[in-house]
Coordinates of all heavy atoms in Angstrom, one line a residue:
N1 N -7.2 -114.5 10.2 CA -8.5 -114.1 10.8 C -9.3 -115.4 11.1 O -10.2 -115.4 12.0 CB -9.3 -113.3 9.8 CG -9.5 -111.9 10.3 OD1 -9.4 -111.6 11.5 ND2 -9.9 -111.0 9.4
L2 N -9.1 -116.5 10.4 CA -10.0 -117.6 10.5 C -9.5 -118.7 11.5 O -10.3 -119.3 12.1 CB -10.1 -118.3 9.1 CG -10.7 -117.5 8.0 CD1 -10.8 -118.3 6.7 CD2 -12.1 -117.0 8.4
Y3 N -8.2 -118.8 11.6 CA -7.7 -119.9 12.4 C -7.3 -119.4 13.8 O -7.0 -118.3 14.0 CB -6.5 -120.6 11.8 CG -6.9 -121.3 10.5 CD1 -6.6 -120.7 9.2 CD2 -7.5 -122.5 10.5 CE1 -7.0 -121.4 8.1 CE2 -7.9 -123.2 9.4 CZ -7.6 -122.6 8.1 OH -8.0 -123.2 7.0
D4 N -7.4 -120.3 14.8 CA -7.2 -120.0 16.2 C -5.7 -119.6 16.4 O -5.4 -118.7 17.2 CB -7.4 -121.2 17.1 CG -8.9 -121.6 17.2 OD1 -9.7 -120.8 16.8 OD2 -9.2 -122.6 17.8
A5 N -4.8 -120.2 15.7 CA -3.4 -120.0 16.0 C -2.6 -120.0 14.7 O -3.0 -120.6 13.7 CB -2.8 -121.1 17.0
I6 N -1.4 -119.4 14.8 CA -0.5 -119.4 13.6 C 0.8 -119.9 14.2 O 1.3 -119.5 15.3 CB -0.3 -118.0 13.0 CG1 0.7 -118.0 11.9 CG2 0.1 -116.9 14.0 CD1 0.7 -116.7 11.1
L7 N 1.5 -120.8 13.5 CA 2.7 -121.5 13.9 C 3.8 -121.3 13.0 O 3.7 -121.4 11.8 CB 2.4 -123.0 14.1 CG 3.6 -123.9 14.6 CD1 3.0 -125.0 15.4 CD2 4.4 -124.4 13.5
V8 N 5.0 -120.9 13.6 CA 6.2 -120.8 12.8 C 7.4 -121.4 13.5 O 7.2 -121.8 14.7 CB 6.6 -119.3 12.5 CG1 5.5 -118.6 11.7 CG2 6.9 -118.5 13.8
G9 N 8.5 -121.6 12.9 CA 9.7 -122.1 13.5 C 10.6 -121.0 14.0 O 10.4 -119.8 13.6
I10 N 11.6 -121.3 14.8 CA 12.5 -120.3 15.4 C 13.3 -119.7 14.3 O 13.6 -118.5 14.4 CB 13.4 -121.0 16.4 CG1 14.4 -120.0 17.0 CG2 14.2 -122.1 15.8 CD1 13.7 -118.8 17.7
G11 N 13.5 -120.4 13.2 CA 14.3 -119.8 12.1 C 13.6 -118.5 11.5 O 14.2 -117.5 11.2
N12 N 12.3 -118.6 11.4 CA 11.5 -117.5 10.9 C 11.6 -116.3 11.8 O 11.7 -115.2 11.4 CB 10.0 -118.0 10.8 CG 9.1 -116.9 10.1 OD1 8.9 -115.8 10.7 ND2 8.5 -117.3 9.0
V13 N 11.6 -116.6 13.1 CA 11.7 -115.5 14.1 C 13.0 -114.8 14.1 O 13.2 -113.6 14.1 CB 11.4 -116.1 15.5 CG1 11.7 -115.0 16.6 CG2 9.9 -116.5 15.6
L14 N 14.1 -115.7 14.0 CA 15.4 -115.1 14.0 C 15.8 -114.3 12.7 O 16.5 -113.3 12.7 CB 16.5 -116.3 14.1 CG 16.4 -117.0 15.5 CD1 17.4 -118.2 15.4 CD2 16.8 -116.1 16.6
I15 N 15.2 -114.8 11.6 CA 15.5 -114.1 10.3 C 14.6 -112.9 10.0 O 15.1 -111.8 9.7 CB 15.4 -115.1 9.1 CG1 16.5 -116.2 9.3 CG2 15.6 -114.4 7.8 CD1 16.3 -117.4 8.3
D16 N 13.3 -113.1 10.2 CA 12.4 -112.0 9.8 C 11.8 -111.2 11.0 O 11.2 -110.1 10.7 CB 11.2 -112.7 9.0 CG 11.6 -113.2 7.7 OD1 12.6 -112.7 7.1 OD2 11.0 -114.1 7.2
D17 N 11.9 -111.8 12.2 CA 11.3 -111.1 13.3 C 9.8 -110.7 13.0 O 9.5 -109.5 13.2 CB 12.1 -109.9 13.8 CG 11.7 -109.4 15.2 OD1 11.1 -110.2 15.9 OD2 12.0 -108.2 15.5
P18 N 8.9 -111.6 12.6 CA 7.6 -111.2 12.3 C 6.7 -110.9 13.4 O 6.9 -111.4 14.6 CB 7.1 -112.5 11.5 CG 7.8 -113.6 12.3 CD 9.2 -113.1 12.6
K19 N 5.6 -110.1 13.2 CA 4.6 -109.9 14.2 C 3.6 -111.0 14.3 O 3.0 -111.2 15.3 CB 3.9 -108.5 13.9 CG 4.8 -107.3 14.1 CD 3.9 -106.0 13.9 CE 4.8 -104.8 14.1 NZ 4.0 -103.5 14.0
L20 N 3.3 -111.6 13.1 CA 2.3 -112.7 13.0 C 0.9 -112.2 13.5 O 0.2 -113.0 14.1 CB 2.7 -113.9 13.8 CG 4.1 -114.5 13.4 CD1 4.5 -115.7 14.3 CD2 4.1 -114.8 11.9
T21 N 0.5 -111.0 13.2 CA -0.8 -110.5 13.6 C -1.6 -110.2 12.3 O -1.1 -110.3 11.2 CB -0.7 -109.1 14.4 OG1 0.2 -108.2 13.6 CG2 0.0 -109.4 15.7
T22 N -2.9 -110.0 12.5 CA -3.8 -109.7 11.4 C -3.8 -108.2 11.2 O -4.3 -107.4 12.0 CB -5.2 -110.2 11.7 OG1 -5.1 -111.6 12.0 CG2 -6.1 -110.0 10.5
R23 N -3.4 -107.7 10.0 CA -3.3 -106.3 9.7 C -3.8 -105.8 8.4 O -4.3 -104.7 8.3 CB -1.8 -105.8 9.8 CG -1.1 -106.2 11.1 CD 0.3 -105.6 11.2 NE 1.2 -106.2 10.1 CZ 1.7 -107.4 10.1 NH1 1.5 -108.2 11.2 NH2 2.5 -107.7 9.2
L24 N -3.8 -106.7 7.4 CA -4.1 -106.2 6.0 C -5.6 -106.4 5.6 O -6.0 -106.1 4.5 CB -3.2 -107.0 5.0 CG -1.7 -106.8 5.2 CD1 -0.9 -107.5 4.1 CD2 -1.3 -105.3 5.3
V25 N -6.4 -106.9 6.5 CA -7.8 -107.1 6.3 C -8.6 -106.6 7.5 O -8.0 -106.3 8.6 CB -8.2 -108.6 6.0 CG1 -7.5 -109.0 4.7 CG2 -7.8 -109.5 7.2
K26 N -9.9 -106.5 7.4 CA -10.7 -106.1 8.5 C -10.6 -107.2 9.6 O -10.9 -108.3 9.4 CB -12.2 -105.9 8.1 CG -13.1 -105.4 9.3 CD -14.5 -105.2 8.8 CE -15.4 -104.7 9.9 NZ -16.8 -104.5 9.5
K27 N -10.1 -106.8 10.7 CA -9.7 -107.8 11.7 C -10.8 -108.3 12.6 O -11.5 -107.5 13.2 CB -8.6 -107.2 12.6 CG -8.0 -108.2 13.6 CD -6.7 -107.6 14.2 CE -6.8 -106.4 15.0 NZ -5.6 -105.9 15.6
I28 N -10.9 -109.6 12.6 CA -11.8 -110.3 13.6 C -11.0 -110.5 14.9 O -11.4 -110.2 16.0 CB -12.3 -111.6 13.1 CG1 -13.2 -111.4 11.9 CG2 -13.0 -112.4 14.2 CD1 -13.6 -112.7 11.2
K29 N -9.8 -110.9 14.7 CA -8.9 -111.2 15.8 C -7.5 -111.4 15.4 O -7.2 -111.6 14.2 CB -9.4 -112.5 16.5 CG -9.1 -113.8 15.6 CD -9.5 -115.0 16.4 CE -9.1 -116.3 15.6 NZ -9.3 -116.3 14.2
N30 N -6.6 -111.4 16.3 CA -5.2 -111.8 16.0 C -5.1 -113.3 16.5 O -5.6 -113.7 17.5 CB -4.2 -111.0 16.9 CG -3.9 -109.7 16.3 OD1 -3.8 -109.5 15.1 ND2 -3.8 -108.6 17.1
P31 N -4.5 -114.1 15.7 CA -4.3 -115.5 16.1 C -3.3 -115.6 17.2 O -2.5 -114.8 17.4 CB -3.8 -116.2 14.8 CG -3.0 -115.1 14.1 CD -3.8 -113.8 14.4
I32 N -3.4 -116.7 18.0 CA -2.4 -117.0 19.0 C -1.2 -117.4 18.2 O -1.2 -118.2 17.3 CB -2.9 -118.2 19.9 CG1 -4.2 -117.8 20.6 CG2 -1.8 -118.6 20.9 CD1 -4.9 -119.0 21.3
R33 N 0.0 -116.8 18.6 CA 1.2 -117.1 17.9 C 2.0 -118.2 18.6 O 2.2 -118.2 19.8 CB 2.1 -115.8 17.9 CG 1.3 -114.7 17.3 CD 2.1 -113.3 17.4 NE 2.1 -112.9 18.8 CZ 2.5 -111.7 19.2 NH1 2.9 -110.8 18.2 NH2 2.6 -111.3 20.4
I34 N 2.4 -119.2 17.8 CA 3.1 -120.4 18.4 C 4.5 -120.4 17.7 O 4.6 -120.4 16.5 CB 2.3 -121.7 18.1 CG1 0.9 -121.6 18.8 CG2 3.1 -122.9 18.7 CD1 0.0 -122.8 18.4
V35 N 5.5 -120.5 18.5 CA 6.9 -120.6 17.9 C 7.5 -122.0 18.4 O 7.5 -122.3 19.6 CB 7.8 -119.5 18.4 CG1 9.2 -119.6 17.9 CG2 7.2 -118.1 18.1
L36 N 7.9 -122.8 17.4 CA 8.6 -124.0 17.7 C 10.1 -123.6 17.9 O 10.8 -123.2 17.0 CB 8.6 -125.0 16.5 CG 7.2 -125.5 16.1 CD1 7.3 -126.5 15.0 CD2 6.4 -126.0 17.3
D37 N 10.5 -123.8 19.2 CA 11.8 -123.3 19.6 C 12.5 -124.3 20.6 O 12.5 -124.1 21.8 CB 11.7 -121.9 20.3 CG 13.0 -121.2 20.6 OD1 14.0 -121.8 20.2 OD2 13.0 -120.2 21.3
T38 N 12.9 -125.4 20.0 CA 13.4 -126.5 20.8 C 14.4 -126.1 21.9 O 14.4 -126.5 23.0 CB 14.1 -127.6 19.9 OG1 13.1 -127.9 18.8 CG2 14.4 -128.8 20.7
H39 N 15.4 -125.2 21.5 CA 16.5 -124.8 22.4 C 16.3 -123.5 23.1 O 17.2 -123.0 23.7 CB 17.8 -124.9 21.6 CG 18.0 -126.2 20.9 ND1 18.2 -127.4 21.7 CD2 18.1 -126.5 19.6 CE1 18.4 -128.4 20.8 NE2 18.3 -127.9 19.6
G40 N 15.1 -122.9 22.9 CA 14.8 -121.6 23.6 C 15.7 -120.5 23.1 O 16.2 -119.7 23.9
R41 N 15.7 -120.3 21.8 CA 16.6 -119.2 21.2 C 15.8 -118.0 20.9 O 16.4 -117.0 20.3 CB 17.3 -119.8 20.0 CG 18.3 -120.9 20.2 CD 19.0 -121.2 19.0 NE 18.1 -121.8 18.0 CZ 18.3 -121.8 16.7 NH1 19.4 -121.1 16.2 NH2 17.5 -122.4 15.8
T42 N 14.5 -117.9 21.1 CA 13.7 -116.7 20.8 C 14.3 -115.5 21.5 O 14.4 -115.5 22.7 CB 12.3 -116.9 21.2 OG1 11.7 -118.0 20.5 CG2 11.5 -115.6 20.8
P43 N 14.7 -114.4 20.8 CA 15.3 -113.2 21.4 C 14.2 -112.6 22.3 O 13.0 -112.5 21.9 CB 15.6 -112.3 20.3 CG 15.8 -113.2 19.1 CD 14.8 -114.3 19.3
L44 N 14.6 -112.1 23.4 CA 13.6 -111.4 24.4 C 13.0 -110.1 23.8 O 12.0 -109.6 24.3 CB 14.2 -111.2 25.7 CG 14.6 -112.5 26.5 CD1 15.3 -112.1 27.8 CD2 13.4 -113.4 26.7
K45 N 13.7 -109.6 22.7 CA 13.2 -108.4 22.1 C 12.4 -108.7 20.8 O 11.9 -107.8 20.1 CB 14.3 -107.4 21.8 CG 15.0 -106.8 23.0 CD 16.1 -105.8 22.6 CE 16.7 -105.2 23.8 NZ 17.8 -104.2 23.4
A46 N 12.1 -110.0 20.6 CA 11.4 -110.4 19.4 C 10.0 -109.8 19.4 O 9.3 -109.7 20.4 CB 11.3 -111.9 19.3

């Protein structure tokens, strides 16, 4: 809720497929999601 963006690596996306949104507290906003993906491996259905 507090920070502009949330950053994870491609490994996190491939293993957990997270939403990275704000859900468990009263929401001010969803952070901008940033994925470090050097080789472009993010699944298009992620």
Side-chain angles (χ1 to χ4, degrees):
N1 245 343
L2 298 182
Y3 294 102
D4 290 349
I6 180 171
L7 182 147
V8 300
I10 181 60
N12 186 299
V13 172
L14 294 174
I15 294 169
D16 293 333
D17 192 22
K19 291 184 177 181
L20 303 179
T21 53
T22 305
R23 302 182 303 280
L24 302 182
V25 295
K26 185 177 179 181
K27 184 165 64 179
I28 294 172
K29 67 175 189 318
N30 282 319
I32 298 167
R33 302 172 295 191
I34 303 170
V35 180
L36 298 186
D37 186 8
T38 309
H39 304 295
R41 294 186 293 153
T42 301
L44 295 180
K45 292 185 178 180

